[in-house]
């Protein structure tokens, strides 16, 4: 099978887009280089002193691990200098990260979670970088928060890098979902999963059952359905929960299934769920829909949610279409 690199795939897509200027291709290539650097550090985390905590906490109130900080700094450093962005938002930073005046600005907006699943870093479980790209509406001048707080349906691209048994890149630009696997011997991401489609119904459900005491009745009913022998499959789904959303999502994307992080009453900060709309739910929802799946907050389509805050959280039910529809049906029942 001819080896197609992600850069070749981007150039093919660029040639097919009459308005393409090459800037978008360069933007993704800058992201790819950042991910290769992060992958190198993640894959030797056990060998050098990048484990453990920096002693700081981020805007989410979570302890920052050294690899979190490293990934965040690599992405900010490289993307600020790309000349392709007008502003950046990171899950680790409370406010927008402006492009310094001495760097050229572009018309793209980049939102990312630099290292999702970072609580798993010290135990060698897969983690990932998630990104979401918008094109600014205004032509020039300072970028307002309103220009960034856009519905997920307006993304021009979204994807993730998964630092697992191999390093993968999965992305969409609205023309299907494609997966690339890093061949470390040549340092290139090679096309390994062309036009990924998620099975309409899955066999796997992913949720943190430890939150059961904090769920409302509808949530308990929805999750119990997947565990019931009288569901539409006439047997319970298999439970799989890694605790790293990129990893859980990726398995369900390939095999079929549903990932759920409902709202719970455990912590007032998490009363709308734990996952962030802009840097986690939106990009993954774009990918899920492009692969034939669905993503809702239990009732509303994720990509239709009008953001009001940069780090707002949403309940998330994402994956195989029929499984997400079942959740929506249960929440919609009176
Ligand atoms: P819990 C990682 O911190 C993360 O944001 C997701 O990657 C993951 O799915 C979730 O939190 C795990 O949360 O509460 O089950 O440990």
């Amino acid at each position: 099978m001819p080896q197609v690199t992600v850069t070749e795939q981007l150039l093919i897509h660029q040639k097919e887009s009459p308005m393409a200027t090459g800037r978008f291709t360069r933007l993704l290539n800058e992201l790819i280089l950042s991910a290769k650097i992060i992958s190198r550090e993640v894959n030797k985390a056990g060998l050098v002193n990048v484990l453990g905590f920096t002693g700081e906490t981020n805007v989410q109130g979570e302890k920052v691990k050294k690899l979190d900080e490293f990934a965040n700094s690599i992405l900010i450093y490289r993307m600020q200098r790309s000349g392709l962005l007008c502003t950046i938002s990171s899950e680790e930073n409370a406010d927008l990260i402006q492009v310094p005046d001495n760097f050229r600005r572009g018309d793209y907006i980049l939102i990312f979670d630099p290292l999702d699943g970072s609580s798993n870093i010290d135990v060698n479980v897969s983690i990932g970088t998630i990104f979401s790209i918008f094109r600014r509406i205004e032509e020039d001048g300072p970028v307002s928060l309103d220009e960034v707080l856009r519905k997920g349906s307006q993304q021009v691209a979204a994807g993730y890098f998964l630092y697992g048994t191999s390093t993968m890149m999965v992305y969409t630009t609205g023309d299907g979902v494609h997966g690339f696997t890093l061949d470390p011997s040549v340092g290139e991401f090679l096309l390994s999963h062309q036009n990924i489609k998620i099975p309409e119904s899955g066999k796997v459900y992913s949720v943190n059952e430890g939150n059961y005491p904090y769920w409302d009745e509808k949530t308990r009913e929805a999750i119990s359905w997947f565990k019931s022998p009288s569901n539409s499959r006439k047997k319970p789904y298999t439970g799989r929960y890694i605790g790293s959303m990129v990893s859980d999502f990726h398995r369900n994307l390939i095999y079929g299934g549903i990932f759920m992080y409902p709202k719970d009453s455990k912590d007032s900060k998490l009363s709308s769920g734990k996952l962030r709309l802009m840097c986690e739910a939106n990009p993954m929802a774009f990918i899920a829909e492009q692969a034939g799946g669905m993503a809702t907050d239990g009732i509303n389509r994720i990509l239709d949610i009008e953001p009001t805050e940069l780090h707002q959280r949403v309940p998330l039910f994402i994956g195989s279409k029929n499984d997400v529809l079942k959740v929506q049906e249960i929440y919609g029942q009176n």
Side-chain angles (χ1 to χ4, degrees), residues 196-206 225-226 232-233 237 248-260 284-285 287-296 316-328:
I196 300 172
K197 289 299 176 192
I198 186 169
E200 287 208 340
S201 299
K203 299 179 181 131
V204 172
Y205 79 103
S206 309
W225 184 88
F226 292 98
S232 54
R233 291 183 63 230
Y237 283 53
D248 280 314
F249 176 86
H250 184 71
R251 180 204 51 247
N252 294 350
L253 179 70
I254 303 300
Y255 288 160
I258 184 169
F259 172 89
M260 300 176 275
M284 295 315 222
I287 292 170
E289 290 197 0
Q290 282 290 311
M294 274 184 76
T296 78
L316 182 61
F317 300 85
I318 187 168
S320 292
K321 185 175 67 171
N322 294 337
D323 298 342
V324 176
L325 282 172
K326 171 49 72 175
V327 170
Q328 211 159 315

Side-chain angles (χ1 to χ4, degrees), residues 62 113 116-120 208 211 241 243-246 248 259 261 266 274-276 280:
E62 296 161 341
D113 180 353
D116 175 73
S118 53
S119 54
N120 294 293
N208 182 343
N211 292 330
Y241 192 70
S244 164
M245 191 259 278
V246 180
D248 280 314
F259 172 89
Y261 208 107
K266 177 171 57 181
K274 177 176 184 182
L275 298 176
R276 296 83 175 181
E280 291 173 317

Side-chain angles (χ1 to χ4, degrees), residues 122-138:
D122 292 349
V123 291
N124 204 19
V125 169
S126 300
I127 51 185
T129 298
I130 309 172
F131 63 90
S132 167
I133 300 173
F134 291 86
R135 201 184 193 110
R136 77 173 307 188
I137 298 169
E138 305 302 325

